Amino acid sequence: FPSGHSAVVPIVAAHLFSLSSLPRTMKAVRLFEYGDPSVLQYLDVPLPELGSDDVLMRVRATSVSNWDLRYRRGGLTPPPGRPPLPLPFQLGREAAGEVVAVGAQVSRFKPGDRVVAMTCPACGSCDYCKRGLDNLCLNIGLPGHQRFGGYAEYVSRKEPELLHAPNSIPFEKLACLLWSYATVWRMAITRGSLRPGQDVLITAASSGMGTAAIQIARLAGAARIFGTTGSTEKSGRLKQMGVDHVLNYREENVPARIRELTNGLGVDLVLEFVGGEMFNIGMQCLRMAGTLVSGAQHGGRFITIDLDLLYRSDLIIQGARASTRQDQELVLTLSAKGKIDPIIHQLLPLRDAAEAHRIMERQEHFGKIVLVP
């Protein structure tokens, strides 16, 4: 080797040794057309290619989200500045596992390392990244959205798109952290400015995002947590998690009940994970100068807002998109310290991805559904 290149030798050697022991094909779940869960196909596909700056990860767990369901139905549109959403496609925003091979230029990871794939990777050089808003990065395709996601035995990621995973966190928990918890942290703390002593309303409280929001609200010192659900059966579990008042939106007038429980004032913050009519319900639950942070639209993309309520009550309405690298690193640290702990409804083998989608569509889940390749 030329002078100055000897340090590359062990990295290349590890790369070649690992690749020689890997299969040429893998199992994956892919989508070739939009439709109901039956369009998800479990099949053999080639192993991902490995470039010089790539890391090949053996997926040990990947979680299912509402984004997966909406993509499968054909109900998603790309964010501004992004290319059209591709087909065929491999869903899965989150993935946790072990490094099995690395490219010659990779220096931060080696085979055997436990890793978790960032759900919102960023280039670090575009205008948004330079402004500290790398959750809005223009130059990176989001896994499970623009790029193949975690519904497979192996995925390939660029070196900056992976984080070292603490040994104390099981893979199935790691596969639930970076999307739900980091996004909720940004919604509640960064955008919602949640402070100790404030009252919080969480919509869809039994969902993956909702259960994350309950834990983060408690961690932030919320005085009282209110949560909506459409299932009487889930009320008990929500109370066990720390929800002070569970409101069944199918059976009661949520804004009126909130006013009754807060002496007519309303809550300081609404974390809204549904969209549609639930957005307006959340607005009606706010006290004057209260804040609503919206992070979803699967309940309806378009709504009519009462402008009189908006300005007379001096309300703050914000959107929140994904999370930054700092958010994602933070929730890994919080989980390792036992401050947060993802709620898992069910573990299913990857081949049962269609059934996982059916469970979510029937709203039977409490927390996250995790697929295990």
Side-chain angles (χ1 to χ4, degrees), residues 79-80 82 93 118-124 126-142 145-146 178-179 182-183 185-187 190-191 294 319-328:
R82 305 273 186 175
R93 291 300 294 265
M118 292 178 62
T119 55
C120 306
C123 71
C126 72
D127 180 61
Y128 285 107
C129 286
K130 291 178 180 178
R131 291 164 56 192
L133 298 172
D134 55 276
N135 59 305
L136 305 180
C137 176
L138 295 174
N139 298 326
I140 297 293
L142 298 174
H145 203 158
Q146 284 93 22
L178 298 193
W179 179 237
T183 300
W185 183 271
R186 181 168 181 78
M187 290 178 66
T190 306
R191 302 290 277 167
S294 172
R321 177 170 143 191
S323 59
T324 65
R325 173 182 287 271
Q326 184 178 25
D327 297 328
Q328 293 172 78

Side-chain angles (χ1 to χ4, degrees), residues 105-250:
Q105 296 179 12
V106 173
S107 60
R108 292 179 53 242
F109 299 99
K110 64 183 184 303
D113 285 351
R114 299 174 88 252
V115 293
V116 58
M118 292 178 62
T119 55
C120 306
C123 71
S125 60
C126 72
D127 180 61
Y128 285 107
C129 286
K130 291 178 180 178
R131 291 164 56 192
L133 298 172
D134 55 276
N135 59 305
L136 305 180
C137 176
L138 295 174
N139 298 326
I140 297 293
L142 298 174
H145 203 158
Q146 284 93 22
R147 298 168 50 208
F148 276 14
Y151 283 23
E153 291 183 304
Y154 297 88
V155 295
S156 177
R157 294 289 182 262
K158 301 297 181 185
E159 184 176 15
E161 299 172 8
L162 293 175
L163 298 175
H164 285 282
N167 292 329
S168 60
I169 310 176
F171 288 122
E172 61 268 22
K173 299 279 188 175
L174 286 168
C176 301
L177 279 170
L178 298 193
W179 179 237
S180 294
Y181 282 81
T183 300
V184 170
W185 183 271
R186 181 168 181 78
M187 290 178 66
I189 308 302
T190 306
R191 302 290 277 167
S193 301
L194 177 59
R195 299 185 299 276
Q198 292 187 325
D199 290 336
V200 181
L201 170 63
I202 299 167
T203 65
S206 63
S207 66
M209 292 284 187
T211 52
I214 294 168
Q215 294 183 14
I216 288 174
R218 279 287 174 229
L219 188 63
R224 289 178 294 182
I225 298 176
F226 302 83
T228 67
T229 180
S231 169
T232 303
E233 293 75 18
K234 296 176 181 178
S235 297
R237 292 197 63 184
L238 288 172
K239 290 179 180 178
Q240 290 174 0
M241 284 195 66
V243 177
D244 298 283
H245 300 281
V246 180
L247 310 171
N248 190 322
Y249 65 86
R250 300 183 193 275

Side-chain angles (χ1 to χ4, degrees), residues 253-261 285:
N253 185 317
V254 172
R257 182 63 175 149
I258 291 283
R259 298 290 174 188
E260 178 184 343
L261 292 169
C285 294

